[in-house]
């Protein structure tokens, strides 16, 4: 389990336990409302915890679909491979799943990372190389 998930569980657990302890000291209908509030928070967090990976996947797919036309427009005669972070696998949770990696066929040693906000806001945010000194597809940041 990733440390962020442990912290989330601890915070939600503390909130639920606090509500339950307060509900113990209440009487009648208020006690039932306290128990119900704790149950609602618990169910909402469970739904969030289960649905979050699917939400991230949907957002990444949408961003990849926006990136393809951008690459076709800026590099019309080139071939490339798009890769994303396998955020559900162990060992990758510390990486930001929203950075999309692009490897161009004529420059296989370099990976360019793109950040996609919308159709009109696509930025090259970084690059990784294996000993390259010069990049062929480096883009200047629009200020």
């Amino acid at each position: 389990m990733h440390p962020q998930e442990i912290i989330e569980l601890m915070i939600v657990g503390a909130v639920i336990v606090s509500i339950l302890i307060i509900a113990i000291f209440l009487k009648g209908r208020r006690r039932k409302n306290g128990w119900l509030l704790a149950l609602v928070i618990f169910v909402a967090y469970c739904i969030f915890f289960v649905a979050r990976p699917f939400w991230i996947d949907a957002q990444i797919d949408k961003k990849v679909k926006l990136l393809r036309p951008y690459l076709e427009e800026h590099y019309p005669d080139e071939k490339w491979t798009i890769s994303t972070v396998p955020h559900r696998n162990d060992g990758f949770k510390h990486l930001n799943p929203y950075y999309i990696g692009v490897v161009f066929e004529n420059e296989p040693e370099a990976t360019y990372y793109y950040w996609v906000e919308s159709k009109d806001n696509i930025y090259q945010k970084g690059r990784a190389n294996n000993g390259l000194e010069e990049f062929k597809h480096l883009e200047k940041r629009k200020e």
Side-chain angles (χ1 to χ4, degrees), residues 75-93:
Y75 306 104
D77 298 331
E78 308 237 6
K79 293 193 187 297
W80 58 82
T81 304
I82 294 177
S83 63
T84 58
V85 174
H87 64 94
R88 292 183 186 206
N89 298 345
D90 289 338
F92 292 96
K93 290 202 179 239

Side-chain angles (χ1 to χ4, degrees), residues 4-139:
Q4 178 183 352
E5 295 169 348
I6 294 171
I7 292 170
E8 289 173 358
L9 281 171
M10 289 172 48
I11 291 172
V12 170
V15 168
I16 290 173
V17 168
S18 299
I19 292 172
L20 291 176
I21 289 173
I22 292 170
I24 288 172
F25 295 108
L26 299 175
K27 301 231 186 263
R29 187 173 181 100
R30 288 188 174 190
R31 178 180 288 177
K32 288 181 184 178
N33 287 340
W35 287 96
L36 182 63
L37 178 62
L39 179 66
V40 167
I41 291 172
F42 177 73
V43 170
Y45 182 72
C46 289
I47 290 171
F48 169 76
F49 193 73
V50 170
R52 180 172 40 185
F54 297 106
W55 173 258
I56 291 171
D57 287 341
Q59 294 300 309
I60 291 170
D61 289 342
K62 187 183 346 176
K63 290 174 186 289
V64 167
K65 287 178 184 174
L66 292 172
L67 181 61
R68 288 185 202 279
Y70 175 85
L71 292 172
E72 289 170 359
E73 178 185 326
H74 285 79
Y75 306 104
D77 298 331
E78 308 237 6
K79 293 193 187 297
W80 58 82
T81 304
I82 294 177
S83 63
T84 58
V85 174
H87 64 94
R88 292 183 186 206
N89 298 345
D90 289 338
F92 292 96
K93 290 202 179 239
H94 68 284
L95 299 174
N96 188 337
Y98 296 107
Y99 282 109
I100 302 169
V102 177
V103 177
F104 290 92
E105 192 175 84
N106 64 350
E107 193 179 14
E109 309 84 27
T111 303
Y112 296 91
Y113 294 100
Y114 286 86
W115 182 262
V116 179
E117 293 177 9
S118 67
K119 179 182 170 188
D120 300 324
N121 293 329
I122 299 175
Y123 307 105
Q124 190 181 82
K125 291 295 255 185
R127 61 212 166 272
N129 66 356
N130 294 332
L132 283 181
E133 292 182 19
E134 193 172 311
F135 294 94
K136 297 177 185 175
H137 301 91
L138 192 59
E139 296 178 8

